Amino acid sequence: MSNIAIITGSLSPRSKTAALAARVAARLGREGFRVTTVHVRDLPAEDVLFGRVDSPAIAEASRVIAEAAGVVIATPIYKASYTGALKALLDLLPQFGLAGKAVLPLATGGTLAHVLAIDYGLRPVLQSLGARHVLAGLFLLDKALRLGEDGQLEIDDELGNKLEDIVKPFIDSVVREGLPLPAREVAAA
């Protein structure tokens, strides 16, 4: 089965956004996908900020993304935009680093005023990186998300159904299109 990369843009070690990504990863794992999560907060800050694409950690994150048939981007929304740390990582990807990939954007935030951050902030960047298909994403209000004592995400059935409703088309898109060309062939195209 295909590889899926999940990128989390949260800087907090106890993050509702990361817990949301973990829930999606578990769902994808049950479908037989090999899921690897890249937490931007775990990458060396100096490597990300100074654009050290040859650092081992950045090279590994880039490899995980390059080998994935699909990418899930999960980010909190701060000041009406996705995190700067996520932007810094996306800036380090090759020009067409998402070519041939289905991409599912997920966002969490404190107010409905930020609901369009996916469409007006994140989607253009994902498309400029050559994503084959940026699916309809999902914005979730922080107050609708709870972290259990074990750090697992607790959500009500209605929100769980909404999450399933956006994950299913992502799975279908990845399965329908199969694996993308290897990164070296995409770059040459």
Side-chain angles (χ1 to χ4, degrees), residues 29-146:
R30 288 191 301 274
E31 291 291 325
F33 292 100
R34 289 181 301 274
V35 180
T36 304
T37 301
V38 174
H39 297 284
V40 175
R41 72 171 180 266
D42 292 339
L43 298 173
E46 285 191 3
D47 291 348
V48 174
L49 292 175
F50 293 118
R52 296 179 182 147
V53 294
D54 58 347
S55 82
I58 300 301
E60 175 62 13
S62 294
R63 183 195 63 75
V64 165
I65 295 164
E67 292 178 359
V71 177
V72 176
I73 306 278
T75 183
I77 302 299
Y78 299 136
K79 296 181 177 47
S81 185
Y82 57 97
T83 64
L86 175 60
K87 174 68 165 98
L89 177 61
L90 293 174
D91 285 346
L92 297 179
L93 295 179
Q95 181 177 3
F96 297 108
L98 296 178
K101 299 176 192 328
V103 180
L104 174 62
L106 303 172
T108 61
T111 174
L112 283 176
H114 296 152
V115 73
L116 294 176
I118 290 174
D119 288 331
Y120 290 106
L122 187 55
R123 182 177 303 278
V125 173
L126 301 175
Q127 289 173 326
S128 75
L129 287 167
R132 172 181 50 79
H133 183 195
V134 180
L135 287 95
L138 182 63
F139 176 87
L140 301 139
L141 282 172
D142 282 336
K143 67 182 179 183
L145 307 173
R146 297 169 306 285

Side-chain angles (χ1 to χ4, degrees), residues 20 23-24 27 30 138 140 144-146 153-168:
L20 174 64
R23 184 180 178 115
V24 171
R27 168 70 174 88
R30 288 191 301 274
L138 182 63
L140 301 139
L145 307 173
R146 297 169 306 285
L153 186 67
E154 298 173 357
I155 57 177
D156 62 34
D157 289 342
E158 181 181 349
L159 195 53
N161 290 337
K162 285 182 182 178
L163 186 59
E164 178 61 27
D165 288 347
I166 60 108
V167 171
K168 181 71 173 114

Side-chain angles (χ1 to χ4, degrees), residues 3-23:
N3 293 335
I4 302 291
I6 297 182
I7 305 170
T8 66
S10 177
L11 300 178
S12 171
R14 186 165 161 83
S15 162
K16 292 177 182 177
T17 304
L20 174 64
R23 184 180 178 115

